[in-house]
Amino acid sequence: MEDEPIQATNDDASECKRCAVQLGYWQDNYITLFIKPTERRTPEINRGYYARVKGVEMFIEKFLKKAGDQAQIINLGCGFDTLYWRLKDADINVANYVELDFPNVTGRKCYAIKRHKQLLERIHDPDSEIRLSSTDLHAGNYHLIGVDLRNLKEFESKIIQAEINYTLPTLFIAECVLVYIESECVHKLLSWIGTKFQSSVFVNYEMVNLHDIFGNIMLENLKARGCNLAGIDACKNLETQQERFKKAGWDGATAWDMIKIYHALPSTDRHRVEKIEFLDEQEVIVQLFQHYCICVAWNGTEFADLDIT
Ligand SMILES: C[S@@+](CC[C@H](N)C(=O)[O-])C[C@H]1O[C@@H](n2cnc3c(N)ncnc32)[C@H](O)[C@@H]1O
């Protein structure tokens, strides 16, 4: 099946996160419950994942600070992301939390949640029953749903099942997901979100600047794994990343490469992380950071000023 290599990118991302967590790059008490250990990744990959996870988290925190417990979070192509459980541990409550991915991936996530008490007890709400199928799980304000994001009708009906409220402030997260979806489908999805939700923010982590030698090597690696990069056009540069949202009717969008994001992270934590593993030379990490970005888009005035400062 042509989507299998795309679904397998979740295993790779989760293995990399697990590896970096176990080396102490950041704390995540749950990732080991979803994915088995594999070989140790290079120091550059570990640091790249640190910047990715902490960079995305920086915007999540800014959003939640403003939106408070009325916030909704919708993670598109969630894979084995553990943010829901990490927020619970930090005593941060949201109105609704929805995770979506291909049914093959959500099925595996459902299975892991059912198997591990630490995961299940944090989603269990004694006031409401757990609704569970082989690919979908609804428990209180947590919803894990199998869907192909290219199918807008199915997406719409699935998020209705998750009791989404279009009037609440809503954060969309996509970490290395849109690049696998045809540009036309992404455009329709972003336009639909933009018109339906009154006040929303989209945090998109993805490749950028792919038209140079390093970018071409990255592309070739992904193609060699059989991944069709149908949404690659938007990854040309920071402008195309921003334009994608503006063309879909969003009020604004700003994109930063990961060099800027990395330096916006708290310096004490950066210095701590830089001591975990020694980098032989800085060139590789600089190139890696130049080829990934975070683009933040917003609709409505409430979240127009989310910045890296
Ligand atoms: C690189 S992984 C990232 C997973 C997770 N966001 C993370 O950062 O750990 C990409 C994810 O996007 C999902 N994905 C890609 N295209 C999709 C589609 N059309 N519908 C649903 N999920 C999709 C894949 O199944 C995979 O889990």
Side-chain angles (χ1 to χ4, degrees):
M1 197 179 93
E2 64 171 20
D3 293 330
E4 265 173 25
I6 294 175
Q7 293 159 10
T9 63
N10 168 54
D11 291 83
D12 186 46
S14 307
E15 286 166 9
C16 290
K17 287 180 179 178
R18 177 182 172 128
C19 173
V21 164
Q22 296 214 296
L23 289 167
Y25 278 84
W26 70 94
Q27 202 191 340
D28 181 337
N29 297 331
Y30 303 101
I31 189 71
T32 53
L33 305 176
F34 287 108
I35 194 89
K36 292 199 181 88
T38 49
E39 84 271 15
R40 184 172 172 147
R41 300 310 205 262
T42 65
E44 287 81 8
I45 292 183
N46 293 327
R47 201 177 292 178
Y49 269 87
Y50 164 77
R52 164 177 172 168
V53 170
K54 288 289 158 186
V56 169
E57 246 177 54
M58 173 168 76
F59 291 106
I60 295 170
E61 278 168 20
K62 285 174 195 266
F63 169 81
L64 289 175
K65 209 169 166 188
K66 281 197 155 191
D69 57 11
Q70 287 299 293
Q72 298 184 119
I73 296 182
I74 302 183
N75 192 334
L76 305 173
C78 59
F80 295 159
D81 190 84
T82 58
L83 179 67
Y84 179 81
W85 291 271
R86 288 182 281 126
L87 289 178
K88 275 267 159 154
D89 282 356
D91 253 338
I92 296 171
N93 290 310
V94 294
N96 211 351
Y97 198 103
V98 186
E99 301 200 289
L100 304 135
D101 206 302
F102 280 119
N104 277 349
V105 177
T106 56
R108 288 174 62 203
K109 195 166 190 173
C110 281
Y111 182 72
I113 294 171
K114 273 185 287 177
R115 269 189 64 205
H116 294 288
K117 195 168 155 261
Q118 302 100 299
L119 296 171
L120 199 56
E121 67 190 9
R122 279 172 184 73
I123 61 166
H124 184 240
D125 173 0
D127 297 333
S128 63
E129 54 163 351
I130 296 184
R131 283 183 288 137
L132 185 68
S133 73
S134 58
T135 61
D136 294 12
L137 193 163
H138 301 272
N141 72 345
Y142 176 76
H143 307 271
L144 173 61
I145 299 173
V147 69
D148 183 342
L149 294 168
R150 294 169 294 198
N151 186 335
L152 192 52
K153 282 236 160 342
E154 200 193 347
F155 171 77
E156 184 172 4
S157 77
K158 289 277 188 170
I159 66 165
I160 289 170
Q161 286 173 24
E163 291 159 13
I164 273 296
N165 182 335
Y166 296 118
T167 65
L168 293 182
T170 304
L171 172 69
F172 289 83
I173 303 168
E175 240 184 89
C176 281
V177 176
L178 303 184
V179 67
Y180 300 113
I181 302 177
E182 290 73 7
S183 307
E184 185 56 26
C185 295
V186 175
H187 177 75
K188 284 189 183 146
L189 179 65
L190 296 181
S191 307
W192 184 85
I193 293 173
T195 46
K196 272 285 187 190
F197 288 81
Q198 280 176 17
S199 175
S200 50
V201 174
F202 200 115
V203 176
N204 185 45
Y205 173 88
E206 209 166 39
M207 299 99 162
V208 73
N209 298 328
L210 290 174
H211 297 271
D212 62 12
I213 295 171
F214 191 89
N216 270 311
I217 296 171
M218 283 169 52
L219 283 183
E220 290 310 318
N221 282 342
L222 279 164
K223 281 187 197 153
R225 290 189 204 172
C227 289
N228 178 21
L229 301 169
I232 200 75
D233 286 354
C235 300
K236 200 168 172 186
N237 51 46
L238 294 175
E239 286 71 40
T240 54
Q241 286 282 358
Q242 293 165 177
E243 275 310 304
R244 164 162 61 186
F245 286 95
K246 292 179 193 162
K247 279 185 193 150
W250 287 63
D251 288 339
T254 311
W256 302 266
D257 69 25
M258 292 309 288
I259 295 183
K260 289 232 167 62
I261 298 283
Y262 184 67
H263 287 103
L265 297 176
S267 58
T268 45
D269 202 45
R270 255 188 298 128
H271 294 149
R272 178 190 66 79
V273 155
E274 284 165 7
K275 289 189 199 119
I276 297 177
E277 287 179 293
F278 180 70
L279 301 187
D280 285 337
E281 40 178 305
Q282 293 295 313
E283 201 186 328
V284 180
I285 192 73
V286 169
Q287 285 198 319
L288 199 68
F289 281 166
Q290 279 168 344
H291 289 83
Y292 282 94
C293 73
I294 291 182
C295 182
V296 176
W298 64 89
N299 252 335
T301 49
E302 202 183 342
F303 298 101
D305 57 353
L306 292 190
D307 204 345
I308 57 174
T309 49

